[in-house]
Amino acid sequence: EAGVVQSPRYKIIEKKQPVAFWCNPISGHNTLYWYLQNLGQGPELLIRYENEEAVDDSQLPKDRFSAERLKGVDSTLKIQPAELGDSAVYLCASSPGGGRAHEQYFGPGTRLTVT
Amino acid sequence: AQTVTQSQPEMSVQEAETVTLSCTYDTSESDYYLFWYKQPPSRQMILVIRQEAYKQQNATENRFSVNFQKAAKSFSLKISDSQLGDAAMYFCAYRNTGNQFYFGTGTSLTVIP
């Protein structure tokens, strides 16, 4: 079974530029999470999808961040425009849902550096 | 609001020895899950062990075991016979009935040969 796939693994951009991250969850997983992980910190939820519906986006800075999960499979997280403080690792995770909703599988993350 | 606290930013252990990582959490719920995740330098987060709050028996996975004290809201991880490959960041996490996960700030474990 393939794991959660994220791309790119690394991204360096200048401030005020746009950037997008892509995530493909494990096949059949209904729930998809995007997390922000700052250096030396634990992951913090940005948005959670149940199929194609964003059910928890209270921590997503909507003035510059957006996300979509078309067809309830892969997802894209976008930042426009990027700021220096957005430098972090962006983690994607997925869960099977139902009775296995407590299982969460992480991707390798995208390390973003904003200069 | 649920919070997870890991009070040990760094820990070290001699190879083959035992180490315990601490975690406390705050919740008003009675049904939830607790987890320990490992994040090696490659940054892929993997599950080490999980505990369901309604189960009184402490979870065990090979060399990894937990000490779950529900009343004290404490959830520590014990690693026995530590190996070099155990060196990583360890995150304690809590999942509520709303399927929301909360993570601690992590403990960096160094294994000394």
Side-chain angles (χ1 to χ4, degrees), chain B residues 81-97:
Chain B
D81 185 26
S82 296
Q83 301 175 0
L84 295 178
D86 295 334
M89 283 290 287
Y90 286 82
F91 292 96
C92 178
Y94 165 99
R95 173 189 175 267
N96 63 17
T97 53

Side-chain angles (χ1 to χ4, degrees), chain A residues 4 9 31 33 35 37 40-43 45 48 50 56 89 91 95 101-104 106-108 111, chain B residues 33 35 37 39 41-47 50 52 89 91 95 98-106:
Chain A
V4 177
R9 291 293 311 277
T31 307
Y33 308 78
Y35 289 95
Q37 186 177 24
Q41 300 294 315
L45 181 70
R48 173 168 61 98
E50 298 289 348
D56 186 352
V89 175
L91 296 171
S95 293
H102 56 275
E103 300 178 18
Q104 189 171 200
F106 284 85
R111 180 184 295 275
Chain B
Y33 281 85
F35 308 84
Y37 285 91
Q39 191 176 41
S42 67
R43 306 201 72 84
Q44 185 102 30
M45 189 96 72
I46 57 174
L47 178 67
R50 70 167 172 259
E52 297 161 78
M89 283 290 287
F91 292 96
R95 173 189 175 267
N99 203 20
Q100 295 169 311
F101 285 79
Y102 298 88
F103 290 79
T105 52

Side-chain angles (χ1 to χ4, degrees), chain A residues 31-100:
Chain A
T31 307
L32 185 147
Y33 308 78
W34 281 104
Y35 289 95
L36 166 70
Q37 186 177 24
N38 287 305
L39 186 64
Q41 300 294 315
E44 298 173 20
L45 181 70
L46 288 171
I47 189 168
R48 173 168 61 98
Y49 283 94
E50 298 289 348
N51 297 303
E52 66 273 10
E53 181 182 1
V55 297
D56 186 352
D57 63 354
S58 57
Q59 302 303 311
L60 188 72
K62 298 180 183 63
D63 57 335
R64 296 184 301 107
F65 286 66
S66 65
E68 60 182 12
R69 191 184 184 197
L70 299 176
K71 301 180 181 179
V73 182
D74 54 355
S75 176
T76 302
L77 178 69
K78 299 178 181 178
I79 308 175
Q80 182 171 12
E83 298 179 352
L84 294 176
D86 296 332
S87 295
V89 175
Y90 292 82
L91 296 171
C92 180
S94 69
S95 293
R100 296 175 58 199

Side-chain angles (χ1 to χ4, degrees), chain B residues 19-31:
Chain B
V19 65
T20 299
L21 308 185
S22 301
C23 174
T24 58
Y25 57 96
D26 183 31
T27 184
S28 58
E29 299 187 348
S30 59
D31 187 19

Side-chain angles (χ1 to χ4, degrees), chain B residues 13 25 32 36 43 46 48-49 61 68-69 73 76-77 86 95 99 103 107 112:
Chain B
V13 62
Y25 57 96
Y32 49 87
W36 279 98
R43 306 201 72 84
I46 57 174
V48 175
I49 197 167
E61 289 287 343
F68 174 45
Q69 301 290 327
K73 298 179 182 176
S76 61
L77 173 70
D86 295 334
R95 173 189 175 267
N99 203 20
F103 290 79
T107 296
I112 303 166

